[in-house]
């Protein structure tokens, strides 16, 4: 199965608007130079409008770092899929471990956000991953299964094809510790198997599964050589134009 690779940068709570526009322009140039893969960046909400404007007709895709579950309403501090789509945003990260761990988002809330993204016409980038404690207690697969089952509740077959999945072991995010390519491949294969059981094989074969957790220029090529790794969700290394460029140009 030929899945189109996706290299995604998550800028978290970094960059002024001017800095974000400059970095997005660099990513757009790299994306135009690599037409066989997709490239996405997720700026902070404050920079989305200007970044969408700046990348215009280039192939670079712009994502939000989170999304509300309703179209509008009394939800102080939230931004809806409708508002994001209005800017030209096409995807939304949902269930990032920082939302789960720091802001207390649970599987039910993440499921609502994911459905909110789909209903609002955005492609969710749905993140799952175990903590170090869970891995050491041999609970990796049961934790992932629960996150998948609850996070994907109510997602129909046809919608599933629009979804991007990201495996992000919490112990590897921002720590400099990358999962080995074997550890990552093992989990990606498990997640694909889960999708085959919960949906059907051709859907499981079509869904892109990204790896995230200390991806850098030095490890991207070996990660991307794994059969079930279809791309990367990159935090720290996506904040530097040169290193993100190298990751986009993985071989
Ligand atoms: C992330 O934020 O999703 C991430 C994987 O961060 P880092 O690449 O810095 O580990």
């Amino acid at each position: 199965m030929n899945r189109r690779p996706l290299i995604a940068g998550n800028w978290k709570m970094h960059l002024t608007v001017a800095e974000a526009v400059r970095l997005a322009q660099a990513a757009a140039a790299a994306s135009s130079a690599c037409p066989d893969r997709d490239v996405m960046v997720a700026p902070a909400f404050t920079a989305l409008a200007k970044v969408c404007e700046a990348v215009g007709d280039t192939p670079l895709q712009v994502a939000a770092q989170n999304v509300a579950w309703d179209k509008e309403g009394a939800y102080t501090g939230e931004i809806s899929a409708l508002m994001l789509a209005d800017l030209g945003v096409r995807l939304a990260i949902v269930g990032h471990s920082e939302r789960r761990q720091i802001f207390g988002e649970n599987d039910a809330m993440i499921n609502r956000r994911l459905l909110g993204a789909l209903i609002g016409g955005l492609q969710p980038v749905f993140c799952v991953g175990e903590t170090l404690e869970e891995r050491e207690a041999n609970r990796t697969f049961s934790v992932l299964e629960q996150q998948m089952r609850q996070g994907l509740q109510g997602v129909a077959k046809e919608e599933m094809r629009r979804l991007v999945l990201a495996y992000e072991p919490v112990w590897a995010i921002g720590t400099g510790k990358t999962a080995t390519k074997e550890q990552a491949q093992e989990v990606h294969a498990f997640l694909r198997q889960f999708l085959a059981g919960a949906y059907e094989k051709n859907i499981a074969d079509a869904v892109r599964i990204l790896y995230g957790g200390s991806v850098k220029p030095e490890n991207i090529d070996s990660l991307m050589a794994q059969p079930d790794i279809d791309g990367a969700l990159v935090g720290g290394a996506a904040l530097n134009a040169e290193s993100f460029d190298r990751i986009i140009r993985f071989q």
Side-chain angles (χ1 to χ4, degrees):
M1 180 74 178
N2 248 351
R3 289 177 292 271
R4 191 173 159 81
L6 168 62
I7 300 294
N10 173 15
W11 294 347
K12 310 193 184 188
M13 197 174 72
H14 292 288
L15 309 177
T16 62
V17 174
E19 288 166 344
V21 165
R22 270 199 300 278
L23 199 55
Q25 283 165 336
S31 175
S32 301
C34 302
D36 62 340
R37 55 202 69 179
D38 289 333
V39 182
M40 173 207 109
V41 294
F45 285 117
T46 47
L48 283 173
K50 288 285 185 200
V51 165
C52 285
E53 226 175 86
V55 304
D57 295 333
T58 72
L60 183 71
Q61 300 177 11
V62 181
Q65 295 177 17
N66 208 352
V67 61
W69 46 77
D70 263 357
K71 285 204 285 278
E72 59 181 2
Y75 299 105
T76 302
E78 290 286 319
I79 310 279
S80 76
L82 198 77
M83 294 161 149
L84 294 166
D86 184 43
L87 300 177
V89 169
R90 291 168 54 183
L91 306 97
I93 298 173
V94 174
H96 191 278
S97 69
E98 285 151 17
R99 299 304 314 173
R100 294 177 189 263
Q101 310 263 312
I102 306 171
F103 299 100
E105 293 196 13
N106 59 26
D107 289 321
M109 196 185 285
I110 288 160
N111 173 247
R112 291 181 75 188
R113 291 191 187 279
L114 195 152
L115 294 173
L118 286 169
I119 291 164
L122 299 182
Q123 247 184 301
V125 179
F126 172 43
C127 304
V128 294
E130 81 287 359
T131 63
L132 185 58
E133 199 187 2
E134 290 161 345
R135 175 163 280 264
E136 286 176 345
N138 280 327
R139 292 181 51 226
T140 299
F141 295 117
S142 61
V143 166
L144 291 170
E145 185 169 342
Q146 166 165 325
Q147 290 176 351
M148 292 286 284
R149 215 168 274 296
Q150 298 192 5
L152 293 174
Q153 236 173 61
V155 178
K157 274 186 195 169
E158 282 320 303
E159 292 172 327
M160 194 58 215
R161 292 182 193 279
R162 286 167 52 210
L163 194 132
V164 175
L165 195 58
Y167 168 55
E168 296 212 307
V170 179
W171 48 272
I173 297 179
T175 57
K177 272 190 224 158
T178 318
T180 64
K181 57 187 192 310
E182 293 82 9
Q183 282 172 322
Q185 166 58 28
E186 182 187 31
V187 171
H188 282 229
F190 169 81
L191 294 172
R192 206 175 298 288
Q193 195 60 43
F194 174 92
L195 291 176
Y199 292 89
E200 52 192 54
K201 187 169 181 313
N202 70 353
I203 292 178
D205 284 343
V207 170
R208 291 179 293 182
I209 309 179
L210 315 183
Y211 167 76
S214 299
V215 171
K216 358 179 214 270
E218 298 75 38
N219 57 26
I220 185 67
D221 297 340
S222 62
L223 287 163
M224 290 304 294
Q226 300 305 304
D228 287 293
I229 300 183
D230 308 312
L233 183 52
V234 188
L239 287 169
N240 176 284
E242 216 174 287
S243 60
F244 195 49
D245 185 275
R246 173 61 184 85
I247 291 170
I248 292 169
R249 294 172 200 265
F250 73 85
Q251 285 133 28

